[in-house]
Amino acid sequence: MSENIAIYPGSFDPLTNGHVDIIQRGSRLFDRIVVGVLMNLEKSPLFTVPERVDIARSVFREWPNVEVDTFDGLLVDYARRKRASVIVRGLRAISDFEYEMQMALMNRRLNPDVETVFMMPAETYTYVSSRLVKEVVALGGSVSGLVPRLVEERLRDKKLSHETLKA
Ligand code: PNS
């Protein structure tokens, strides 16, 4: 029987506990879940792609059916290469819905064989985003409990400041 493989794509700059929660839920639903870190064209990411991959691999090193990989180009092409029939996305609130619906329908048009599945993170994380995590840290606040310990450490190493936010 063929494996039921899902892709969980994103920027993960950085990985938050909201992402971790979705990946754990996905790993229970699918035979394999591939965390696809987008090699994006964003001008000033905080973490390099290898740093983001390294973090996710460390966090999930004891989860045998979680793979961490990178991709560029169209997500549906990547899904085909990975033999994945599902794209997983987390939906936190109504505000996520419009962007997610556009992407899901565009991806369906590009490849009707790949289905997007939305999952809700635990309510504790519904307000957590990578962008806000960076902002809070840069302004001297604590993100303890909102990101994995390793991410907290790596954020500390980056020595973020007000200036970082302007970059
Ligand atoms: O975590 P993010 O930044 O919201 O993730 C966005 C992501 C990676 C899912 C999206 O940018 C993406 O799929 N990019 C790949 C390019 C692509 O396939 N675009 C057309 C489909 S909408």
Side-chain angles (χ1 to χ4, degrees):
M1 235 175 63
S2 66
E3 263 189 314
N4 204 355
I5 302 169
I7 304 276
Y8 180 50
S11 307
F12 307 108
D13 184 36
L15 186 78
T16 68
N17 280 346
H19 296 130
V20 170
D21 181 272
I22 296 289
I23 296 165
Q24 291 175 342
R25 286 171 202 281
S27 84
R28 289 193 283 268
L29 271 184
F30 303 100
D31 296 323
R32 191 146 58 90
I33 182 159
V34 180
V35 179
V37 180
L38 178 70
M39 297 198 269
N40 60 6
L41 313 166
E42 207 191 309
K43 277 160 275 152
S44 48
L46 179 60
F47 290 96
T48 65
V49 169
E51 283 173 329
R52 287 179 250 165
V53 168
D54 176 62
I55 288 170
R57 285 197 180 139
S58 300
V59 171
F60 286 98
R61 68 177 171 269
E62 280 166 21
W63 293 71
N65 70 337
V66 177
E67 180 191 335
V68 181
D69 189 22
T70 58
F71 77 101
D72 60 4
L74 282 179
L75 175 58
V76 288
D77 290 345
Y78 176 61
R80 192 182 285 122
R81 289 200 298 280
K82 296 301 275 188
R83 293 182 298 107
S85 51
V86 171
I87 293 168
V88 167
R89 291 288 288 172
L91 259 194
R92 290 165 299 189
I94 294 283
S95 49
D96 284 339
F97 182 76
E98 198 170 337
Y99 171 59
E100 294 298 335
M101 186 189 72
Q102 284 178 348
M103 281 206 298
L105 295 181
M106 182 61 81
N107 284 329
R108 180 180 286 165
R109 185 191 164 93
L110 292 168
N111 184 346
D113 297 330
V114 178
E115 202 62 58
T116 300
V117 169
F118 293 106
M119 290 203 283
M120 278 182 203
E123 62 266 31
T124 348
Y125 304 127
T126 44
Y127 62 94
V128 180
S129 70
S130 299
R131 185 182 62 79
L132 277 186
V133 162
K134 286 183 278 195
E135 185 172 313
V136 168
V137 172
L139 298 175
S142 165
V143 291
S144 175
L146 303 181
V147 296
R149 277 270 171 77
L150 179 61
V151 173
E152 265 189 84
E153 285 164 28
R154 298 285 165 91
L155 281 165
R156 224 173 285 133
D157 295 344
K158 294 276 176 192
K159 300 198 185 340
L160 301 191
S161 66
H162 287 67
E163 296 309 307
T164 327
L165 296 175
K166 292 181 203 146

